[in-house]
Amino acid sequence: MSRVIRVCGTAALLLTALVPAARADDYQLSHNQRISCSRGLAPGKLNTATCKSYTYLFNTKTSEYFRCQVSLALTRDNKEVINVQTDGGCTKKPRIFEVDGKYDFDATETEPPNTNSFFGPGGYSIWAADMAAQKIRGCITISSGLGSDISKCLDMTFQ
């Protein structure tokens, strides 16, 4: 299991190392990455551990963002590692604000399955702020349970 954590940690470091190469002044990496792992027994006394981690990459000029995920599955018996598989990538999401500006953001995600996940694998929220004005927009995306996501954003009012 420590090998799985080491490999996932290395994958996360590689992801953060790639961010500066993508015009560091326009992109920001989410600071609340999470990792979740599960273990299972397979026929023949094989043990499998699967770990997933995600992060968000935000364009601070356009307010477009990417949801990135990396996963690793390790299968072993009592003596050796038999198989290691990795997968991952980033999915582009729409702009939060319609015009270019200077934005800041934060993101968080439910961890499935849990009580917040009524219809499927959970959801996530994105908060974005205009750094030149008193303007904040909160967006929540959840699975509809019918194969599509529902996403809504709301501008905050200040009292």
Side-chain angles (χ1 to χ4, degrees), residues 11-138:
L13 286 174
L14 286 173
L15 180 63
T16 58
L18 293 175
V19 173
R23 294 190 332 187
D25 59 336
D26 286 343
Y27 290 90
Q28 181 182 346
L29 186 67
S30 171
H31 297 290
N32 62 356
Q33 302 90 1
R34 299 222 173 109
I35 185 169
S36 61
C37 297
S38 63
R39 294 190 299 179
L41 296 174
K45 296 187 179 183
L46 297 178
N47 293 309
T48 301
T50 303
C51 291
K52 290 183 181 182
S53 182
Y54 66 88
T55 192
Y56 293 85
L57 181 65
F58 185 78
N59 185 318
T60 60
K61 182 177 179 182
T62 67
S63 77
E64 291 175 325
Y65 64 99
F66 296 83
R67 184 189 183 278
C68 303
Q69 179 173 307
V70 62
S71 65
L72 179 136
L74 175 117
T75 304
R76 68 175 184 86
D77 61 14
N78 290 334
K79 298 179 183 177
E80 65 181 331
V81 173
I82 296 170
N83 189 17
V84 176
Q85 295 178 341
T86 57
D87 190 21
C90 296
T91 304
K92 186 176 182 178
K93 301 295 184 177
R95 294 174 75 124
I96 295 173
F97 293 104
E98 294 77 25
V99 297
D100 288 356
K102 184 172 179 184
Y103 301 109
D104 192 15
F105 90 113
D106 199 2
T108 189
E109 190 160 325
T110 60
E111 298 198 18
N114 70 23
T115 56
N116 295 324
S117 177
F118 298 112
F119 304 116
Y124 62 90
S125 66
I126 300 285
W127 286 91
D130 187 333
M131 300 301 290
Q134 189 176 2
K135 186 174 184 177
I136 297 176
R137 188 169 286 175

